[in-house]
Amino acid sequence: MFQPTITVWNRSDDETYTRVLIEGAYWEDNRGVQLRKTGVSPDNGIFVIIPMESAPEGFSVCAQDYMMQGDVPLQPKSAKELLAAGAVMVSAADRLGFGGLPHWEVTGK
């Protein structure tokens, strides 16, 4: 259904990262503004949809994981290494397992 390939690095408790390649995700760079009680502020981020059929068995994603467009063969030793390569940190992830397209909705900055 979707064409882009993304790479996700799942963070473990000991701060090591496991690379997961996903083919068939939707990646959108968000540009815009966010309305707040105190006024308007810039809201630039990433919105990703990962269909469950595209994800490997047992896949999960959560805050403090990292992601990047494309098949990135990096095996990082630290978050600093991921950020230097241009990866985006996941700020929120929701598993939506209902409807016509069960999927993960992931946002990052």
Side-chain angles (χ1 to χ4, degrees):
M1 176 178 244
F2 301 119
Q3 295 302 319
T5 298
I6 66 169
T7 304
V8 175
W9 291 273
N10 295 122
R11 180 182 181 268
S12 65
D13 290 337
D14 63 355
E15 294 190 36
T16 58
Y17 295 89
T18 303
R19 180 179 171 271
V20 180
L21 184 65
I22 298 172
E23 295 181 14
Y26 173 76
W27 181 287
E28 178 182 302
D29 292 316
N30 292 327
R31 307 266 187 255
V33 295
Q34 186 175 52
L35 300 176
R36 300 177 185 261
K37 290 181 183 178
T38 58
V40 176
S41 66
D43 184 36
N44 295 331
I46 306 298
F47 176 72
V48 177
I49 294 176
I50 303 170
M52 289 185 193
E53 64 187 32
S54 297
E57 185 75 28
F59 173 78
S60 68
V61 61
C62 60
Q64 297 187 359
D65 287 345
Y66 287 84
M67 60 186 171
M68 198 169 179
Q69 278 187 301
D71 181 355
V72 182
L74 180 66
Q75 295 293 340
K77 303 280 190 262
S78 67
K80 191 175 187 178
E81 202 175 325
L82 283 163
L83 291 170
V88 176
M89 186 167 73
V90 172
S91 55
D94 294 311
R95 184 179 191 272
L96 305 172
F98 56 85
L101 179 66
H103 64 282
W104 287 88
E105 286 186 5
V106 183
T107 55
K109 288 195 174 209

